[in-house]
Amino acid sequence: MNTILQVRDARIYYAVKGTEVKAVDGVSFEVHEGEILGIVGESGSGKSTLLNSLVNVRPPMKYIGGDALFDGKNLYRMSKEEKKSVLGTRLTIIPQYALDALPPVFRIKQYLADFAKTHGLSESEIIKLARERLKEVSLSEKVLDMYPIELSGGMRQRVAIVIASLTSPRLLLGDEITSALDVVTQKGIMLNIRRFVDEGLIGSAVLVTHDISLIYQVADTIMVMYAGKVAEIAPAEEIAKKPLHPYTNMLISSLTKLGVKASQQRLSGIKGLPPSLANPPPGCRFAPRCPYAVGRCKSEEPPAKNVDGHLVACWLRGWD
Ligand code: ATP
Ligand code: SF4
Ligand code: MG
């Protein structure tokens, strides 16, 4: 399988009032062709910082180190010109609220004409392609003559997926793209992305969400983040059936017990609070909340280890 994105030891901090917030602190993962990676974790775990850093590291965000190889080129070290040629074409982003990205004064068709011009593409080809793709996401081509405000939230997100697919991107990034929608619409949007990836219209996708129960249904792989670090990465089925990291386990059992959507409870079923990322605890960052913590956990950071097909960072797994 072709590797599309390879992030290695990414460290992205925020410089705030003389202190550093270690929002993304040594994160590594890969995304392959045809794969959807879902990133989950509590509020403040660094999901958005990680995703945004791939697009642009801008103040107060601070690049500390690491690589993000996208089709072999390092996103963290690209010149502005190189980045400009990649963004919106080979690397596309779906915003949380498509309305923010679609200019309100343009009909969708006018927006597409502008889009074609910006990317040096044929307007008629783009409109033709958009017509076909709209059908694929169960929208009528009448949408092309409408203004964004005339579309429902779910329709807008589907239009955003269609637009994101028009340049046959290698990678699609989405951060909480369905959190403002109802459950049925959320699933429909996710399934649209799944289909576009399966059909090769979009090479791969990284989707950030609070809702592990939603993403689990469409992602191939799930990455669980905790306090700026990766706790566990595993195939979606595996992680639901047999989570290996105590945090993943608590995340999943708290959802099952409560029986409510994670986005509603914001993963608050786990007792205690994540640590301050300005002054994180030494050792395992989950130690203050972990019922299994042993002496070593409080002083030594557990490296990620491959255990039964999971990548897991916990002293209880794979270490004797
Ligand atoms: P959520 O699920 O709430 O969207 P998240 O996992 O996306 O959370 P981030 O928004 O990436 O988390 O935040 C990670 C850490 O970085 C948090 O401690 C947050 O307070 C901090 N942070 C985020 N944005 C900024 C900023 N602009 N300035 C300073 N600190 C920030
Ligand atoms: Fe818990 Fe220790 Fe594993 Fe961290 S390393 S999750 S504190 S058992
Ligand atoms: Mg976020």
Side-chain angles (χ1 to χ4, degrees):
M1 242 191 313
N2 279 345
T3 303
I4 290 187
L5 178 70
Q6 186 178 33
V7 175
R8 286 191 301 229
D9 197 25
R11 277 167 293 133
I12 309 291
Y13 297 175
Y14 289 98
V16 191
K17 291 182 195 153
T19 61
E20 278 181 333
V21 176
K22 300 179 174 73
V24 172
D25 206 12
V27 167
S28 301
F29 64 95
E30 287 184 5
V31 184
H32 305 98
E33 185 132 32
E35 182 179 13
I36 297 182
L37 172 76
I39 303 183
V40 299
E42 267 165 305
S43 191
S45 56
K47 306 180 298 293
S48 297
T49 306
L50 175 63
L51 217 66
N52 292 337
S53 76
L54 299 174
V55 177
N56 200 1
V57 179
R58 61 173 156 219
M61 233 188 242
K62 202 167 134 192
Y63 170 80
I64 304 294
D67 302 309
L69 300 176
F70 171 63
D71 270 347
K73 284 214 156 190
N74 198 339
L75 290 170
Y76 289 150
R77 294 177 192 276
M78 269 183 191
S79 65
K80 270 192 183 152
E81 287 68 34
E82 271 182 300
K83 205 43 137 353
K84 219 173 142 192
S85 75
V86 167
L87 288 182
T89 54
R90 287 188 291 135
L91 175 62
T92 54
I93 303 118
I94 296 199
Q96 183 171 8
Y97 300 102
L99 198 59
D100 295 344
L102 296 168
V105 292
F106 281 3
R107 293 179 200 274
I108 303 298
K109 201 191 242 172
Q110 289 170 290
Y111 175 80
L112 288 173
D114 198 51
F115 175 90
K117 203 168 152 194
T118 309
H119 295 295
L121 303 164
S122 144
E123 183 183 325
S124 57
E125 282 294 312
I126 284 293
I127 302 277
K128 186 170 162 252
L129 201 57
R131 263 202 192 99
E132 289 164 15
R133 301 264 164 97
L134 283 170
K135 271 188 223 143
E136 292 223 27
V137 298
S138 312
L139 287 177
S140 144
E141 60 181 68
K142 283 186 191 143
V143 161
L144 292 173
D145 293 312
M146 294 166 87
Y147 290 98
I149 196 79
E150 295 178 89
L151 307 173
S152 69
M155 285 165 89
R156 279 177 212 145
Q157 291 308 78
R158 278 183 281 166
V159 169
I161 295 170
V162 165
I163 295 173
S165 78
L166 293 175
T167 52
S168 307
R170 301 277 289 146
L171 177 64
L172 170 85
L173 303 177
D175 189 355
E176 304 283 0
I177 58 169
T178 62
S179 58
L181 307 171
D182 65 81
V183 183
V184 178
T185 314
Q186 284 188 331
K187 188 167 176 195
I189 300 284
M190 289 295 178
L191 289 174
N192 286 147
I193 296 179
R194 178 76 262 175
R195 182 136 57 89
F196 275 26
V197 171
D198 289 344
E199 290 174 3
L201 307 176
I202 292 171
S204 60
V206 176
L207 303 173
V208 161
T209 175
H210 278 96
D211 197 341
I212 194 167
S213 57
L214 173 73
I215 197 68
Y216 146 79
Q217 302 177 58
V218 292
D220 299 286
T221 312
I222 305 256
M223 172 164 120
V224 179
M225 284 187 73
Y226 185 78
K229 293 194 175 280
V230 174
E232 183 165 5
I233 303 178
E237 287 271 311
E238 277 290 310
I239 217 156
K241 268 194 278 177
K242 197 181 161 215
L244 293 185
H245 194 283
Y247 176 64
T248 318
N249 194 14
M250 287 165 83
L251 204 68
I252 286 168
S253 48
S254 73
L255 290 179
T256 330
K257 254 187 248 144
L258 295 171
V260 292
K261 266 178 50 212
S263 53
Q264 283 163 0
Q265 49 144 333
R266 296 187 65 85
L267 305 182
S268 56
I270 300 172
K271 279 195 188 130
L273 290 171
S276 152
L277 296 184
N279 187 20
C284 174
R285 289 188 182 176
F286 190 52
R289 295 167 86 185
C290 181
Y292 309 102
V294 289
R296 185 184 201 182
C297 303
K298 295 185 175 123
S299 56
E300 283 178 74
E301 188 185 329
K305 186 146 189 180
N306 206 322
V307 181
D308 299 336
H310 297 225
L311 204 67
V312 54
C314 170
W315 287 122
L316 297 183
R317 303 292 183 185
W319 307 91
D320 297 318

